[in-house]
Amino acid sequence: MVNIRMRASRQIAEGKGLRTSGEKRLRHMPATRHAAPDRTAPDNEHISGAEGIYPKSRTRSIVQSYLDRARNHPKGKPDSIQITIERLTQRPQLISALPLVTLNCTSPSGADICIRKLLSSSGISGAALEVALAVVRNTVCMRGAALVYAHSGRRVEPDRRRGIRVSRLGITEEAEGLLAQELEKCNINTQPVKEALVLASKVAACPDIIAELCISDDPDYTTGYVASQALGYIRIPHIKKKKIASGGRVFFLRERADISPVVRYLEKIPVLVASISPCPAMHALHEIIDHNYR
Ligand code: PML
Ligand code: MG
């Protein structure tokens, strides 16, 4: 098996930073939902990214599809496309996708209540919750995720600017087909949903991670999620207003869990989603917390 990763970016000419509908110049503003401000090269704008784990025989066609995706992104043409093909030296760990459900939520204030209830019912303390909300509401987005101890709220990711980049993950062709059918029933068979579900499923499969909170850093993408092995993947529409450049991911860790094996798992251990779970239609918060929806 091989892990194939793609990253497309573009230099921003000095003085031509991106602008939102407001006046503020946002040189670090991400350009796509996969975009995060690139601090190693401040004038380098991330356009798109993708990755997966595939049988070696699919390498040529996947590389071609990643190139097409990088070259035809609505955000414009990249001037650099990096493709990495890495032969896996260990068999990927096989997992099942989390069940996905969409909450009936119509406003950011409603979303705030949902986030708090879902996370506190998962055992996340008030202190940890406030730390996490500050991360995902900061307009200076991290490239990767923050790691927060679930009780003390202590941030423990080794590099606070970079965060943890979840990598070496994918979904089998068969599971992807089944997932597409399942998501189609709810009209949400889109790349962002599938990719976020695969990522959240790898994260939730880590025994030391209790839950995840994600708000997209794409200013136009306003659905986020809370995910955990116990709750599943809970999509929260209207988690933020449009044109807001904040967002990010927070992984809540069991208090005192050893950090380096968790980081190694998230970044380096290959994990493949090989089966899926049913994805029920929209549900109310109390049904999800009481597990009455599966
Ligand atoms: C991102 O890729 O920026 C995160 C998207 C999270 C939500 C995806 C969804 O379920 O709609
Ligand atoms: Mg993103």
Side-chain angles (χ1 to χ4, degrees):
M1 303 285 271
V2 287
N3 173 223
I4 309 181
R5 306 190 288 276
M6 178 278 284
R7 184 178 191 282
S9 60
R10 176 174 53 206
Q11 294 285 313
I12 307 171
E14 192 51 44
K16 289 200 175 153
L18 296 167
R19 283 163 203 271
T20 55
S21 52
E23 303 66 29
K24 203 167 117 197
R25 183 176 174 217
L26 291 169
R27 252 169 117 189
H28 295 287
M29 193 181 84
T32 73
R33 68 177 46 86
H34 298 288
D38 189 339
R39 292 175 206 304
T40 51
D43 288 321
N44 204 4
E45 175 196 347
H46 182 120
I47 293 182
S48 70
E51 87 160 273
I53 291 174
Y54 305 97
K56 213 167 139 221
S57 58
R58 291 185 68 201
T59 303
R60 189 184 288 266
S61 68
I62 295 298
V63 168
Q64 188 58 55
S65 72
Y66 279 4
L67 282 175
D68 293 344
R69 192 162 152 181
R71 288 177 180 140
N72 298 306
H73 198 277
K75 297 288 178 181
K77 296 283 175 209
D79 51 27
S80 162
I81 303 173
Q82 287 173 27
I83 301 234
T84 306
I85 305 167
E86 183 183 278
R87 185 166 50 84
L88 295 180
T89 50
Q90 71 185 112
R91 265 179 206 277
Q93 191 177 311
L94 301 183
I95 61 166
S96 191
L98 292 173
L100 172 150
V101 67
T102 302
L103 265 184
N104 189 1
C105 171
T106 54
S107 67
S109 57
D112 187 74
I113 294 170
C114 296
I115 293 170
R116 289 172 187 277
K117 287 200 173 153
L118 289 166
L119 290 175
S120 65
S121 80
S122 308
I124 310 302
S125 73
L129 192 87
E130 295 309 326
V131 169
L133 289 173
V135 170
V136 296
R137 289 179 178 160
N138 192 338
T139 47
V140 179
C141 305
M142 295 167 67
R143 283 197 63 184
L147 269 187
V148 173
Y149 272 147
H151 181 70
S152 62
R154 193 150 71 87
R155 292 240 334 241
V156 290
E157 69 274 15
D159 178 339
R160 280 206 184 185
R161 275 164 64 168
R162 176 182 175 277
I164 310 297
R165 302 281 290 171
V166 181
S167 186
R168 277 84 181 175
L169 74 173
I171 181 164
T172 62
E173 210 175 356
E174 192 192 349
E176 191 170 10
L178 294 172
L179 180 63
Q181 282 174 27
E182 197 64 27
L183 296 178
E184 202 60 67
K185 291 183 203 158
C186 308
N187 260 324
I188 50 169
N189 183 22
T190 66
Q191 206 80 38
V193 176
K194 284 188 281 192
E195 288 176 354
L197 178 63
V198 169
L199 186 148
S201 301
K202 175 173 179 180
V203 173
C206 176
D208 279 329
I209 296 181
I210 300 175
E212 173 186 355
L213 167 66
C214 170
I215 299 185
S216 177
D217 50 18
D218 180 334
D220 292 322
Y221 201 86
T222 58
T223 300
Y225 66 85
V226 166
S228 74
Q229 207 61 51
L231 291 169
Y233 178 102
I234 317 294
R235 302 180 70 238
I236 308 177
H238 304 288
I239 202 163
K240 69 173 184 182
K241 285 197 194 128
K242 274 209 168 197
K243 309 285 175 216
I244 303 280
S246 59
R249 284 188 159 90
V250 177
F251 305 147
F252 297 95
L253 258 190
R254 254 172 243 296
E255 198 75 21
R256 287 189 290 276
D258 226 354
I259 295 146
S260 47
V262 171
V263 174
R264 193 178 129 65
Y265 166 81
L266 294 170
E267 297 193 335
K268 305 277 192 237
I269 303 292
V271 170
L272 193 53
V273 171
S275 56
I276 66 149
S277 310
C279 301
M282 216 177 256
H283 276 271
L285 183 62
H286 68 90
E287 294 172 307
I288 290 167
I289 289 178
D290 299 339
H291 295 267
N292 284 339
Y293 73 99
R294 290 201 195 170

